[in-house]
Amino acid sequence: MKRCIPSVLVAFAIAVFAGFAPMPQKAQAQSTSVLRLATQALPPYQMIEGDEMTGVAVDRVRCALGAMNVPYELHMTVWAEAQLGTQTGQFDGFFVGSATSARASYAVPSAPVVSEDLAWYLPLSSDIDPNDASDALSARYSAKFATSKWQILHRNGYNVVMRPRDAESLLNMLIVGDIDVALEYEMIFAHFMAERGLTEDQFRKIPFRRQDMSVHFSKQYTDANPLFLNRFNDHMQRCVLETQ
């Protein structure tokens, strides 16, 4: 029988403790400690409803870890702290995020938890072409601050303005005219548009690329638990198929 422990609010993080079930002998040989994963509030992937952590990514991570009988904690915090905590050993990993060279220096990505389309969003009246090099400098661009999307804009020479803390703020900046172009995942922007009673056909949307987002497990954890990642990936692939 699994024993569920209620969610607890600790400082600025919510830690959701999974039930502790007897683990198979193979799993016990890998680790007997609690797996600590950090995430951020990013509807509809990860969010708090009432006192429960939920969302597409949360459900899939729980599905895979539950099938493995791995005891775990999910901590909701700010994105920078989730990544820094994984680097410093406070957490064993974070989710969901795309693969970057910076993250690869200290973590290993799992099989995709979510595969999502990134798109440029512009006002309907805009004639800006984000794929035109001249428009990259003359228009005002933004994405959620300190994310891989933000880094993509800077790395490719776009005129980046504003530092939105979340996708909701990014959408508001686009609506009020603080920026000309927003770069965001379609499912995320659709969620916040719906909250405001808006629809995608009220904006110009230009596809950018499809991106895989994963759990990034610290190299320290995967080195100490060499059987873990392959087992997690097998279960994650099944969980994704079951929840599509």
Side-chain angles (χ1 to χ4, degrees), residues 134-162:
S134 61
D135 283 348
L137 292 174
S138 60
R140 300 167 301 163
Y141 293 80
S142 197
K144 184 182 174 185
F145 178 60
T147 63
S148 60
K149 301 181 291 295
W150 174 270
Q151 294 166 3
I152 286 170
L153 293 176
H154 278 282
R155 190 165 57 245
N156 289 282
Y158 286 91
N159 176 34
V160 183
V161 299
M162 313 300 284

Side-chain angles (χ1 to χ4, degrees), residues 16-225:
V16 180
F17 295 82
F20 287 64
M23 294 194 296
Q25 187 171 356
K26 180 182 285 188
Q28 288 179 340
Q30 293 186 74
S31 174
T32 57
S33 62
V34 176
L35 173 68
R36 300 158 299 170
L37 297 179
T39 189
Q40 63 173 327
L42 188 66
Y45 301 149
Q46 303 102 219
M47 50 194 166
I48 300 295
E49 292 186 340
D51 63 350
E52 293 296 323
M53 193 183 297
T54 186
V56 176
V58 170
D59 292 346
R60 290 175 178 176
V61 169
R62 281 179 165 159
C63 172
L65 294 176
M68 296 170 69
N69 282 318
V70 171
Y72 64 90
E73 300 170 3
L74 303 183
H75 297 256
M76 186 163 283
T77 182
V78 299
W79 195 226
E81 290 181 4
Q83 295 171 83
L84 180 61
T86 300
Q87 285 182 273
T88 59
Q90 179 184 359
F91 303 118
D92 299 309
F94 63 91
F95 71 95
V96 286
S98 58
T100 68
S101 57
R103 292 167 182 169
S105 66
Y106 62 89
V108 182
S110 71
V113 178
V114 178
S115 295
E116 184 59 59
D117 292 319
L118 268 172
W120 305 104
Y121 289 87
L122 307 87
L124 278 178
S125 59
S126 174
D127 59 359
I128 294 169
D129 181 0
N131 299 312
D132 186 321
S134 61
D135 283 348
L137 292 174
S138 60
R140 300 167 301 163
Y141 293 80
S142 197
K144 184 182 174 185
F145 178 60
T147 63
S148 60
K149 301 181 291 295
W150 174 270
Q151 294 166 3
I152 286 170
L153 293 176
H154 278 282
R155 190 165 57 245
N156 289 282
Y158 286 91
N159 176 34
V160 183
V161 299
M162 313 300 284
R163 294 186 174 188
R165 67 186 183 279
D166 51 37
E168 183 177 16
S169 300
L170 179 66
L171 175 60
N172 188 64
M173 290 173 184
L174 183 63
I175 292 170
V176 302
D178 288 337
I179 60 174
D180 301 311
V181 187
L183 180 62
E184 188 50 271
Y185 289 108
E186 292 186 8
M187 188 184 297
I188 293 172
F189 242 25
H191 172 88
F192 287 107
M193 287 179 191
E195 283 197 341
R196 299 187 65 149
L198 303 172
T199 59
E200 285 194 345
D201 59 12
Q202 293 175 261
F203 300 85
R204 278 185 66 204
K205 183 175 75 173
I206 302 173
F208 180 62
R209 72 184 185 201
R210 193 163 182 82
Q211 195 111 305
D212 290 334
M213 290 177 282
S214 306
V215 181
H216 293 260
F217 294 102
S218 71
K219 290 183 176 180
Q220 181 179 358
Y221 184 84
T222 56
D223 287 347
N225 300 277

